[in-house]
Amino acid sequence: MSEPETAEDLRDEALGALRRLVADETATFHDGQFEAIQALVQRRARALVVQRTGWGKSAVYFVATLLLRGRGAGPTILVSPLLALMRDQVAAAERAGVRAASINSANPLEWTDILASLGNDEIDVLLVSPERLNNPRFRDEQLPALMARIGLLVVDEAHCISDWGHDFRPDYRRLRDLIAGMPPGVPVLATTATANERVVHDVEEQLGTGGDGVVTIRGPLARDSLRLGVLRLPDAATRLAWLLSHIGDLPGSGIIYALTVSAAEDTARLLRDAGHEVRAYTGQTDPAEREESERLLKENRVKALVATSALGMGFDKPDLAFVLHLGAPSSPVAYYQQVGRAGRATARADVLLLPGPEDEAIWQYFATSSMPEQAKATAVLDELDHEGGALSTVALEARVDIRRSRLELLLKVLDVDGAVERVQGGWRSTGVPWAYDAERYSRIAAARRHEQDAMLEYERTSGCRMEFLQRALDDPAAAPCGRCDTCTSAWYPTGIEEATAVAADAALNRVGVLIEPRAQWPSGMPRLGLELRGNIPPGERLEPGRALARLTDLGWGGPLRELFAPGSPDAEISSAMAAACVRVLADWGWDTRPAAVVSMPSRSHPRLVGSLARTISELGRLPLLGTLELTGKGPGGSGGNSAYRLAGVAESFAVGPELASSLSDLRAAPVLLVDDLVDSRWTLTVAGRLLRRAGAGAVLPFVLAARA
């Protein structure tokens, strides 16, 4: 009978694996690394590791995998939230001699080969997204066999499990059930760099499902290399001018974070126009382009990626030299997570926050968009109960007045609550009673408001900024850093070059946003009483249109947000805004100049739309033919999903006799259709169809603002 393995023997074996992993024969364990490996390999425990970015959490699960596999265990399943993170983890595993593969939305053609390799025990680590765990085919056909032979379950970025985590994701919540159903004696590792005590306790409770205790290994979160600072500037133009003045002074390459897609794209364009090598990186960026941008940043072939939070968890560039924020994230914990990308393997990295007055409005929008509404949830459940079988998301969207993105999020919440389940063909009711947990959502909303207040306090604090972030994460080792702008003095320049101020003003004064025409009616319109299906005939479509700007734009977005803010009075268009609209029209480049102007009958801004149409008519020397009529039919609302939005306006307008006569006189010449605000584009689409049917030629829509 062999002697029991000692801790010293295990440490020697683990150290050898670590040195192969990092290709360094002198490498040693950081505090807590071996203890985590020992808990997983020797005790087959459930462990939570809360350590700063760069501490080496991936080394723990790769070394543990190698040791467990050497003892006859099955493969590791690593639940990972982002494709960028998966790519880095697969590459790191290969360097360590760990055979790793991922199943994700970007590589469906490889799934069959990967699953065959798994069946042949040729893969050590399988990386999957939390969403993949609920894919019906994977969940029902592959997952049971995997769970029967799993050697280790790893939940990366585990703060996503918790309602209180800064990046909570509904799909992560089903991991609790997965853990509860695992075979006895299979170790579980959860890792994160951003968890306060509330999140830690929540994750511990979910890891401990089944009665097993949890080993929590927590280290200090301060990063000695980070030099933090906050620079308050009065407006977006000044912030961009500062960036143009000083991006060349920043060390190495880094990340510039923005709060919205349009802000990231506008900033990247401004910097490129000034000769800087930068790229935009957002959730709307093509996946192949995102992967290329990550590679260029890692190779220091671009100065920066101008990114939204889409570039966040897990992006691995040890020598990232700076992180700038144009606008603040909504909590100190989220901010720490993003700035933690910098300075992992450098003596110094610069971290600067340039907050904006619009930050709080953006926080509020994202905070409310993630909360389920009781009436909407009830409507979804009623439709699924009535159907009896499965409904696809598209079919369900035609039955409930909820936008696609919010419907998908709501279905995930109902799924993890057990009220619905995803099956082949869509979603179906489980029949399990569901009750809206108002108290829980109220507590979450209150916690979010507290986090926002804390972020504002971080911006204003006269104490150490790193210590402030550590305390926000309940780090017992919180202490003054001696490097930030409050521990010392402002280490960043504050001056702005005159030429960059002019360039920033010009960039923010840029006008003109393309409005793509709708080409197809939404699915399910006959169910809503409208015989609209398939493609919109080319002879009834709009032409591509223009908006002055988006509401989220850095430049004209601000004045437009004020114009359309709730409670703002209806007034005639200002001379400055009218002049900007004229510039959009002058730069349009249409094939045939419009012969006349038609305006929409605005319920909320009739003076604004009327004055805009008159101004264009007078300055462009185009006849103003009049306004479409309101029929009084349809609710005319602006909320809900695409099908319901169309239903709300499909019969709301008419071409009156006088306008019809004027259109007939034009003999199919193009007309300019003027409105105040475009969102779903269905109001313009319906109006354009009416005008085309009444004899207008091409219909070119022009609006002041686009929502996104």
Side-chain angles (χ1 to χ4, degrees):
M1 184 173 179
S2 61
E3 291 292 324
E5 184 176 47
T6 67
E8 196 59 39
D9 291 337
L10 182 66
R11 186 181 187 91
D12 290 344
E13 185 181 359
L15 187 58
L18 174 72
R19 289 172 173 173
R20 291 192 298 274
L21 175 70
V22 299
D24 181 358
E25 286 303 312
T26 65
T28 58
F29 286 117
H30 297 150
D31 288 344
Q33 279 185 316
F34 175 69
E35 289 76 9
I37 294 167
Q38 182 181 30
L40 298 170
V41 176
Q42 203 165 49
R43 296 163 50 192
R44 307 296 170 103
R46 295 178 178 186
L48 169 61
V49 171
V50 183
Q51 298 280 1
R52 64 180 180 270
T53 304
W55 171 84
K57 294 182 287 292
S58 60
V60 170
Y61 49 73
F62 284 139
V63 170
T65 292
L66 287 171
L67 270 55
L68 287 166
R69 293 287 277 165
R71 287 156 175 76
T76 291
I77 296 178
L78 171 54
V79 181
S80 186
L82 294 176
L83 293 181
L85 182 53
M86 287 188 181
R87 287 191 285 268
D88 286 341
Q89 288 165 325
V90 169
E94 290 173 351
R95 292 194 297 270
V98 178
R99 299 168 297 179
S102 67
I103 291 181
N104 59 65
S105 59
N107 68 344
L109 297 179
E110 301 173 19
W111 293 357
T112 300
D113 291 341
I114 290 171
L115 292 170
S117 296
L118 270 171
N120 295 329
D121 203 26
E122 296 169 350
I123 288 178
D124 300 315
V125 178
L126 177 68
L127 295 92
V128 297
S129 68
E131 292 79 10
R132 183 60 40 195
L133 295 175
N134 201 39
N135 174 275
R137 183 180 173 191
F138 183 83
R139 182 194 65 212
D140 298 335
E141 297 178 16
Q142 280 94 35
L143 190 58
L146 276 174
M147 296 307 294
R149 51 190 288 262
I150 184 173
L152 171 65
L153 175 67
V154 178
V155 181
D156 208 2
E157 306 296 348
H159 59 272
C160 296
I161 291 176
S162 175
D163 286 340
W164 313 108
H166 72 274
D167 197 19
F168 162 71
R169 298 187 179 194
D171 285 292
Y172 261 73
R173 282 180 58 199
R174 62 174 53 92
L175 288 169
R176 180 185 186 123
D177 296 332
L178 184 71
I179 293 168
M182 286 175 54
V186 175
V188 179
L189 172 65
T191 68
T192 181
T194 48
N196 58 22
E197 282 297 325
R198 174 179 274 182
V199 174
V200 166
H201 293 326
D202 199 5
V203 175
E204 286 174 338
E205 181 183 344
Q206 298 192 51
L207 288 182
T209 298
D212 294 333
V214 176
V215 176
T216 298
I217 297 173
R218 184 167 189 169
L221 298 177
R223 177 76 59 67
D224 291 343
S225 60
L226 298 186
R227 186 168 63 160
L228 303 174
V230 176
L231 176 59
R232 285 184 165 276
L233 296 170
D235 51 39
T238 313
R239 293 200 304 273
L240 289 179
W242 185 94
L243 186 60
L244 280 171
S245 297
H246 300 294
I247 186 172
D249 302 330
L250 296 168
S253 57
I255 300 172
I256 301 167
Y257 279 108
L259 295 186
T260 66
V261 171
S262 58
E265 292 175 345
D266 290 348
T267 302
R269 182 176 60 240
L270 171 64
L271 291 172
R272 284 196 303 271
D273 289 348
H276 299 287
E277 288 292 330
V278 301
R279 282 189 166 210
Y281 187 111
T282 76
Q284 296 180 18
T285 306
D286 180 78
E289 185 179 341
R290 281 207 247 177
E291 186 171 358
E292 181 185 24
S293 295
E294 293 165 20
R295 178 176 55 80
L296 292 174
L297 182 61
K298 289 177 182 178
E299 295 172 357
N300 294 316
R301 293 169 59 190
V302 292
K303 181 66 176 180
L305 298 185
V306 187
T308 63
S309 58
L311 183 65
M313 292 182 296
F315 178 73
D316 184 18
K317 177 177 167 58
D319 62 340
L320 195 76
F322 66 86
V323 171
L324 262 64
H325 279 78
L326 298 177
S330 60
S331 78
V333 178
Y335 184 63
Y336 175 88
Q337 192 269 329
Q338 290 179 353
V339 303
R341 305 263 66 80
R344 293 173 55 177
T346 59
R348 196 194 82 187
D350 290 340
V351 173
L352 185 62
L353 170 62
L354 288 78
E358 69 279 5
D359 294 352
E360 292 180 70
I362 296 172
W363 298 344
Q364 181 62 22
Y365 171 79
F366 286 115
T368 55
S369 66
S370 62
M371 294 289 185
E373 298 177 33
Q374 184 172 5
K376 304 291 189 185
T378 300
V380 169
L381 292 172
D382 287 347
E383 288 296 335
L384 291 176
D385 286 337
H386 177 74
E387 181 68 20
L391 283 174
S392 69
T393 305
V394 173
L396 193 55
E397 187 181 21
R399 301 186 183 203
V400 294
D401 189 9
I402 311 173
R403 280 184 164 188
R404 176 75 61 86
S405 58
R406 293 202 178 195
L407 176 59
E408 290 173 342
L409 180 61
L410 176 57
L411 285 165
K412 288 180 179 181
V413 171
L414 293 173
D415 183 12
V416 296
D417 285 347
V420 304
E421 61 180 343
R422 190 176 174 199
V423 296
Q424 293 291 347
W427 299 86
R428 72 181 177 197
S429 172
T430 62
V432 175
W434 183 84
Y436 182 76
D437 193 345
E439 191 273 336
R440 173 177 162 232
Y441 292 120
S442 176
R443 286 188 291 115
I444 294 171
R448 296 287 181 264
R449 289 191 295 271
H450 176 75
E451 291 168 353
Q452 293 171 12
D453 290 342
M455 193 66 217
L456 295 174
E457 187 180 346
Y458 171 81
E459 296 172 13
R460 298 188 294 258
T461 186
S462 59
C464 172
R465 298 197 191 278
M466 179 57 77
E467 183 180 17
F468 187 101
L469 295 178
Q470 288 179 269
R471 292 194 185 283
L473 284 152
D474 296 320
D475 182 359
C481 69
R483 297 177 305 281
C484 69
D485 60 351
T486 52
C487 283
T488 56
S489 60
W491 48 263
Y492 39 82
T494 57
I496 295 173
E497 298 171 5
E498 183 176 349
T500 65
V502 172
D505 279 332
L508 291 178
N509 208 24
R510 188 191 301 265
V511 293
V513 173
L514 177 66
I515 302 172
E516 292 283 3
R518 290 278 193 179
Q520 191 169 32
W521 302 114
S523 300
M525 294 310 299
R527 178 179 288 276
L528 297 176
L530 295 166
E531 290 301 320
L532 301 171
R533 12 173 141 238
N535 292 328
I536 301 172
E540 297 182 0
R541 292 181 196 172
L542 294 169
E543 294 299 307
R546 296 293 188 277
L548 170 61
R550 304 178 191 89
L551 290 177
T552 54
D553 282 350
L554 292 174
W556 278 101
L560 289 169
R561 285 194 298 272
E562 292 179 12
L563 193 65
F564 293 105
S568 294
D570 181 28
E572 297 203 352
I573 190 167
S574 69
S575 57
M577 193 170 288
C581 290
V582 170
R583 286 197 289 126
V584 177
L585 296 171
D587 294 341
W588 196 318
W590 38 53
D591 295 331
T592 303
R593 189 175 187 267
V597 178
V598 176
S599 65
M600 289 298 298
S602 174
R603 291 181 175 90
S604 55
H605 299 94
R607 291 185 64 193
L608 178 65
V609 175
S611 64
L612 174 61
R614 286 195 307 275
T615 299
I616 293 173
S617 169
E618 292 166 1
L619 294 177
R621 298 181 180 179
L622 300 171
L624 179 58
L625 301 187
T627 303
L628 287 164
E629 295 180 355
L630 287 170
T631 65
K633 298 179 182 179
S638 61
N641 63 34
S642 192
Y644 275 83
R645 286 184 166 209
L646 173 56
V649 298
E651 298 177 340
S652 295
F653 311 108
V655 177
E658 187 175 340
L659 178 57
S661 175
S662 298
L663 289 170
S664 178
D665 292 343
L666 284 179
R667 300 189 179 184
V671 298
L672 194 72
L673 177 61
V674 175
D675 203 359
D676 54 354
L677 182 67
V678 65
D679 189 357
S680 68
R681 293 169 287 157
W682 286 124
T683 295
L684 292 174
T685 300
V686 167
R689 181 174 182 247
L690 288 170
L691 293 172
R692 295 296 301 270
R693 286 185 163 189
V699 177
L700 300 99
F702 177 78
V703 301
L704 284 176
R707 283 201 184 274

